[in-house]
């Protein structure tokens, strides 16, 4: 296939919008919905796309479950979180038909195959669903695309491109086009959103375990290893976007810092998994520590999702399951042990590296995450024996005063 490169240009309307996006945190379907939101509302409005945390899977090309972020899912999130709603939709239309539609409907949100998109490094290299905005189809066709990623074929960066009608028709032979109306961004209740996140991830615990089992069984296969890289990449971006959304909430500084730390761990794992995939392609074995890190991060998702959520007035500070998840997470973090080391149902003093100083650090970190203060009189020897006894102390803890801060 001969690809005629699109010509980079500037748009008075769209270039400033694309420049203001956190495009490095968005996938290729989200990013141009984000551009529509910021254009309609204000710069930074798109960060609300990071409010929800979920773990969805579908059967991937390798036959194992794969993390999925479908177009319909992203459209539903944009409707719920940003009030962006599809008003018209045209499936399986040609580039020529897109140009006709633009005469009456501008801009068009378009989803098509990257393999022929001349402004992307995927052109001629990889098939993948991808979105863009068709913003002009006059003397030249002009597309705006906020996508940001580095690939083995080159970098994709936010920008605006122009091309002839014939070149556009070749770049987009088949597509789905939509008009999207901005009906007003809803005001999100942060505490309610975080509670919903925690509940959804708890409900998906079996799905997470099934995914981890399948990944361990298939990670040595090149196609499955490549899917794992994409899965970690998607999870890393979504968790980093969540942290960016929390950072914009004035009273969520502690939760934002914690979410940012976890997002950094996901993004670091993305690099490690890519190196591991390359090793598998050369006939090597997928490194077990990468899979251990994946397991630890996914099992810690419930605690992350619940961090910073506010309890109902007069109710408990946190439910027992979340308390124990947070305690286990912090014990592992403070002692530097992986998921292969059991921390439940054993005396804390038997854990490698454990001492009284480490215990104090665990307690302080858990207090900050759960927003509570333990009563000093409750910290007796029996209460500090294991996670169950320590969890019982946290069960009856009082809400923290403003003097307690998170990490």
């Amino acid at each position: 296939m001969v690809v005629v490169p699109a010509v980079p240009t500037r748009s008075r309307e769209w270039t400033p919008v694309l420049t203001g996006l956190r495009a490095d945190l968005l996938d290729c379907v989200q990013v141009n919905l984000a551009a529509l939101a910021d254009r309609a509302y204000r710069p930074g409005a798109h960060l609300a796309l990071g409010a929800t945390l979920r773990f969805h899977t579908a059967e991937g090309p390798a036959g194992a479950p794969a993390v999925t972020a479908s177009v319909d899912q992203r459209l539903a999130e944009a409707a719920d979180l940003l009030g962006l709603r599809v008003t018209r939709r045209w499936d399986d239309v040609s580039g020529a038909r897109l140009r006709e539609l633009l005469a009456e409907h501008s801009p068009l949100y378009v989803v098509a195959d990257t393999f022929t998109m001349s402004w992307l490094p995927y052109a001629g290299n990889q098939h993948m669903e991808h979105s863009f905005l068709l913003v002009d189809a006059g003397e030249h066709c002009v597309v705006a695309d906020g996508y940001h990623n580095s690939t083995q074929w080159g970098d994709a960066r936010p920008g605006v491109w122009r091309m002839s009608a014939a070149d556009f028709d070749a770049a987009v032979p088949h597509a789905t086009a939509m008009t999207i109306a901005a009906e007003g961004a809803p005001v999100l209740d942060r505490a309610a959103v975080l509670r919903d996140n925690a509940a959804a991830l708890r409900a998906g615990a079996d799905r997470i375990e099934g995914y981890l089992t399948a990944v361990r069984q298939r990670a040595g296969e090149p196609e499955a290893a490549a899917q794992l890289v994409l899965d970690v990449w998607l999870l890393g971006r979504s968790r980093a976007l969540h942290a960016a959304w929390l950072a914009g909430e004035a009273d969520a500084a502690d939760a934002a810092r914690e979410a940012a730390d976890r997002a950094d761990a996901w993004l670091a794992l993305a690099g490690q998994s890519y190196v591991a995939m390359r090793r598998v392609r050369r006939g090597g074995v997928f490194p077990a520590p990468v899979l251990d890190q994946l397991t630890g991060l996914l099992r810690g998702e419930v605690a992350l999702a619940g961090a910073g959520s506010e309890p109902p007035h007069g109710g408990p500070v946190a439910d027992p399951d979340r308390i124990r998840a947070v305690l286990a997470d912090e014990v592992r973090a403070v002692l530097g042990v992986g998921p292969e080391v059991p921390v439940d149902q054993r005396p804390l003093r038997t854990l490698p590296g454990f001492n009284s100083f480490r215990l104090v650090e665990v307690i302080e970190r858990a207090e900050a995450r759960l927003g509570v203060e333990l009563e000093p009189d409750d910290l007796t020897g029996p209460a500090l024996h294991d996670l169950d006894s320590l969890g019982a102390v946290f069960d009856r803890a009082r809400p923290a005063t403003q003097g307690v801060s998170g990490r």
Side-chain angles (χ1 to χ4, degrees):
M1 184 189 76
V2 177
V3 176
V4 178
V7 179
T9 187
R10 289 186 60 82
S11 165
R12 182 176 300 178
E13 179 178 11
W14 290 101
T15 299
V17 172
L18 298 179
T19 301
L21 296 179
R22 286 303 308 272
D24 58 319
L25 308 184
L26 298 156
D27 68 34
C28 60
V29 176
Q30 286 176 312
V31 70
N32 293 306
L33 294 168
L36 291 173
D38 278 18
R39 173 179 175 261
Y41 303 135
R42 58 177 174 79
H46 69 280
L47 294 177
L49 289 172
T52 57
L53 287 179
R54 297 293 186 269
F55 184 80
H56 296 295
T57 59
E59 184 175 328
V67 174
T68 180
S70 69
V71 173
D72 287 342
Q73 177 187 336
R74 292 309 193 204
L75 290 171
E77 291 168 352
D80 292 342
L81 302 171
L82 286 169
L84 297 181
R85 303 192 187 280
V86 176
T87 54
R88 296 285 301 275
R89 177 170 175 150
W90 301 267
D91 292 313
D92 196 23
V93 295
S94 66
R97 178 58 176 151
L98 288 173
R99 291 187 286 110
E100 292 175 357
L101 288 171
L102 194 72
E104 298 181 10
H105 310 280
S106 180
L108 286 175
Y109 175 82
V110 183
V111 177
D113 188 348
T114 57
F115 194 78
T116 51
M117 292 183 184
S118 55
W119 61 94
L120 292 173
Y122 300 108
N125 294 308
Q126 184 171 333
H127 293 280
M128 184 173 66
E129 279 189 319
H130 185 89
S131 75
F132 66 90
L133 302 173
L134 180 59
V135 299
D136 194 0
E139 182 180 355
H140 293 95
C141 292
V142 178
V143 301
D145 187 348
Y147 189 54
H148 182 292
N149 195 25
S150 297
T151 80
Q152 59 186 299
W153 308 289
D155 293 338
R157 293 294 182 265
V160 180
W161 290 268
R162 60 180 171 83
M163 63 201 84
S164 69
D167 289 341
F168 175 77
D169 292 354
V172 193
H174 302 284
T176 292
M178 289 164 257
T179 54
I180 296 180
E183 299 180 350
V187 177
L188 301 180
D189 181 334
R190 177 178 58 83
V193 168
L194 294 177
R195 287 195 296 270
D196 288 346
N197 288 345
L201 289 168
R202 280 197 299 269
D206 289 344
R207 186 184 309 114
I208 288 174
E209 292 304 318
Y211 170 82
L212 289 170
T213 298
V215 165
R216 287 189 179 274
Q217 292 172 344
R218 306 285 297 275
E221 302 171 12
E223 192 174 10
Q227 181 61 52
L228 176 58
V229 172
L230 179 58
D231 291 351
V232 174
W233 181 88
L234 283 170
L235 289 166
R237 285 206 172 193
S238 68
R239 276 47 183 169
L241 184 62
H242 181 69
W245 172 68
L246 282 172
E249 298 286 310
D251 60 344
D254 295 342
R257 282 193 294 271
E258 182 177 6
D261 288 346
R262 187 59 63 94
D264 287 345
W266 274 110
L267 296 174
L269 183 61
Q272 295 166 10
S273 63
Y274 181 75
V275 172
M277 176 199 72
R278 296 288 294 266
R279 180 177 298 178
V280 170
R281 285 182 173 176
R282 295 194 302 268
V285 176
F286 199 100
V290 176
L291 298 177
D292 292 342
Q293 179 73 354
L294 173 68
T295 299
L297 286 173
L298 279 176
R299 287 177 176 170
E301 287 281 85
V302 173
L304 172 65
S309 60
E310 298 170 5
H313 181 71
V317 170
D319 65 83
D321 288 341
R322 182 177 168 239
I323 288 173
R324 280 150 185 78
V326 168
L327 288 173
D329 194 36
E330 293 304 341
V331 166
R332 293 187 186 282
V334 170
L335 300 183
V337 298
E340 73 281 358
V341 177
V343 298
D344 293 315
Q345 298 181 342
R346 62 183 292 184
L348 292 173
R349 59 180 173 75
T350 66
L351 292 168
F354 180 83
N355 58 43
S356 59
F357 297 105
R358 296 288 181 265
L359 176 59
V360 170
E361 186 177 357
V362 168
I363 290 172
E364 289 179 346
R365 289 164 63 116
E367 283 180 324
R369 285 180 61 175
L370 296 166
V372 301
E373 288 180 343
L374 301 188
E375 295 290 349
D377 291 345
D378 286 339
L379 299 178
T380 62
L384 307 178
H385 180 263
D386 53 28
L387 286 190
D388 284 339
S389 58
L390 186 57
V393 177
F394 273 87
D395 282 344
R396 57 180 182 270
R398 59 185 173 83
T401 63
Q402 293 183 354
V404 175
S405 61
R407 57 186 173 87

